[in-house]
């Protein structure tokens, strides 16, 4: 858990001194912004930890009501559009959101993750992955592998956030 705490701290450090407007800026060719990256990482961590507690059904909450991953793969325009909009908004700071609020939510997710992992008796315990176009049929994930994925995702996005920060005002978190 120390590696995850270190990656989280690196991500949050990229926003120190930014105001809400700067935290929502997308200064590169993509749509990424520092605050949106924190939102995305919090959501990803929360989803994967929910998976570890409740199994594959816990990950279907990301889909529009009544839509399965198979529906999305087959794709009617309405379902795909709704899912893409929700997913894209996970990377942005929306009107009314503040950097302090985004960080507070991330800290709440982190605290729940710490509690959940502390209560897991076996890091080798597995759940089948939900059916989705990007998961191999019948694949499973252990708690340990999910944690490694969350650590990697957090560290990767901390690097993205550092580039964004340097582009916004010339500063970096290091």
């Amino acid at each position: 858990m120390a590696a995850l705490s270190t990656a989280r701290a690196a991500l949050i450090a990229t926003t120190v001194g930014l105001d809400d407007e700067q935290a929502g800026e997308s200064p590169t060719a993509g749509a990424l912004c520092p605050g949106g990256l924190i939102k995305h990482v919090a959501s990803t961590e929360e989803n994967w930890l929910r998976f570890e507690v409740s199994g594959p059904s816990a990950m279907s909450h990301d889909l529009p009501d009544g839509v399965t991953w198979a529906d999305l793969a087959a794709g009617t325009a309405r379902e795909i559009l709704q899912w893409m909009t929700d997913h894209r908004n996970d990377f942005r700071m929306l009107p009314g959101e503040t950097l302090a609020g985004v960080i507070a939510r991330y800290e709440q997710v982190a605290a729940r993750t710490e509690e959940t992992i502390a209560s897991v008796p076996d890091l080798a315990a597995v759940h089948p992955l939900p059916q989705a176009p990007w998961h191999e049929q019948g694949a499973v994930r252990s708690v340990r592998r999910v944690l490694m994925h969350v650590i990697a995702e957090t560290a990767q996005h901390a690097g993205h956030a550092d580039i964004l920060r340097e582009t916004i005002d010339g500063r970096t978190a290091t």
Side-chain angles (χ1 to χ4, degrees), residues 3-14:
L4 182 53
S5 294
T6 300
R8 284 187 196 121
L11 176 58
I12 290 171
T14 65

Side-chain angles (χ1 to χ4, degrees), residues 38-54:
I38 292 173
K39 281 178 58 177
H40 168 68
V41 170
S43 179
T44 299
E45 183 174 321
E46 185 174 53
N47 290 340
W48 277 110
L49 267 290
R50 193 175 10 245
F51 167 79
E52 285 308 322
V53 171
S54 302

Side-chain angles (χ1 to χ4, degrees), residues 3-132:
L4 182 53
S5 294
T6 300
R8 284 187 196 121
L11 176 58
I12 290 171
T14 65
T15 65
V16 171
L18 292 179
D19 61 28
D20 294 336
E21 185 177 328
Q22 290 170 312
E25 284 183 27
S26 299
T28 61
L32 298 177
C33 68
L37 283 173
I38 292 173
K39 281 178 58 177
H40 168 68
V41 170
S43 179
T44 299
E45 183 174 321
E46 185 174 53
N47 290 340
W48 277 110
L49 267 290
R50 193 175 10 245
F51 167 79
E52 285 308 322
V53 171
S54 302
S57 64
M59 294 184 104
S60 64
H61 82 282
D62 286 336
L63 299 175
D65 287 341
V67 176
T68 67
W69 287 113
D71 295 334
L72 192 61
T76 68
R78 183 184 64 79
E79 284 93 7
I80 292 172
L81 245 147
Q82 181 63 51
W83 184 79
M84 287 175 61
T85 298
D86 292 346
H87 184 69
R88 189 177 11 192
N89 285 341
D90 213 22
F91 286 93
R92 302 177 181 175
M93 285 190 56
L94 301 175
E97 290 182 328
T98 65
L99 180 58
V102 167
I103 291 172
R105 180 183 181 298
Y106 187 34
E107 290 170 343
Q108 291 170 344
V109 168
R112 281 195 303 271
T113 297
E114 301 288 332
E115 291 170 8
T116 300
I117 296 305
S119 70
V120 172
D122 182 10
L123 293 179
V126 298
H127 286 295
L129 287 171
Q131 289 187 348

